[in-house]
Amino acid sequence: MKTYTTADGMLEFEHPADWTVIDGPPPAVGAGQAVSVLDGAGRTMATLSTGYPGVHDAAMMSPSQPTELDYQEMPADQLPLVFADSVNAFNFQVVYNPNTDVTGAVMSINNLAAGSDHGWLRGIDLDAATGASFSRWIDGTDSLTGLAPELSAAGGAAAYEAYMATPEYQAVKTMLLSLRQTAG
């Protein structure tokens, strides 16, 4: 594993040694940075964007209910818990993206109200006004390593459930769950 630290020194995460982190275009909103994590074949495994308005200030709602496939809370001291009664957690959900009219799945780190239904609120709060996003969007255009090509191309809940048993899924999940605030 290798450690990547953001340019501002506030966040870091672990990724497989044969994956690379490259600078992306700056986030569309806010003043931060965006990086993509690519596997050895050059496929995007996740994107980290920082510096946009806090999650609680910019909730995104989907017209359809997400289907949760995997959920794991993170240790409370790993990332800031800016708001009372919140948790930081990994989510893997099948969702409808109203911006692209596509159903896919998202693996992400989120700040959620404790005991919530883990709805379509994406990202984490770094302080009362600033947020970040660390996620991977998957849809039928992605080739999911470890699945039969026809299952991967079909997408949908069956493909995404099967994907959870693959080493690639576990590597992405481990990377996302390693996100932490640095002492700097």
Side-chain angles (χ1 to χ4, degrees):
M1 298 294 277
K2 287 176 137 178
T3 302
Y4 174 81
T5 304
T6 57
D8 62 11
M10 290 190 61
L11 297 170
E12 64 184 17
F13 62 88
E14 306 291 323
H15 63 88
D18 64 337
W19 293 6
T20 57
V21 180
I22 61 168
D23 288 330
V29 177
Q33 88 176 89
V35 296
S36 293
V37 182
L38 308 179
D39 71 0
R43 297 178 313 130
T44 300
M45 295 289 103
T47 302
L48 172 66
S49 297
T50 65
Y52 64 80
V55 176
H56 286 83
D57 297 331
M60 298 176 283
M61 301 305 289
S62 169
S64 64
Q65 281 292 85
T67 302
E68 186 168 85
L69 300 176
D70 194 2
Y71 174 83
Q72 182 178 334
E73 290 184 12
M74 300 169 71
D77 61 349
Q78 194 168 319
L79 288 169
L81 288 172
V82 177
F83 297 95
D85 297 325
S86 67
V87 296
N88 290 312
F90 167 84
N91 271 94
F92 183 44
Q93 298 176 329
V94 177
V95 294
Y96 170 72
N97 183 334
N99 298 322
T100 60
D101 193 30
V102 172
T103 298
V106 63
M107 301 172 75
S108 58
I109 299 299
N110 303 296
N111 180 257
L112 306 160
S116 73
D117 65 0
H118 313 154
W120 182 246
L121 188 61
R122 294 281 152 250
I124 57 168
D125 293 297
L126 298 176
D127 58 38
T130 308
S133 170
F134 196 27
S135 63
R136 179 178 188 202
W137 172 256
I138 304 166
D139 62 32
T141 64
D142 293 296
S143 173
L144 299 175
T145 302
L147 296 185
E150 62 278 1
L151 183 59
S152 178
Y160 304 134
E161 286 179 40
Y163 181 59
M164 290 174 26
T166 68
E168 180 179 281
Y169 175 86
Q170 293 304 317
V172 175
K173 179 179 177 179
T174 298
M175 176 181 63
L176 293 174
L177 281 165
S178 75
L179 183 66
R180 61 192 170 270
Q181 188 172 32
T182 64

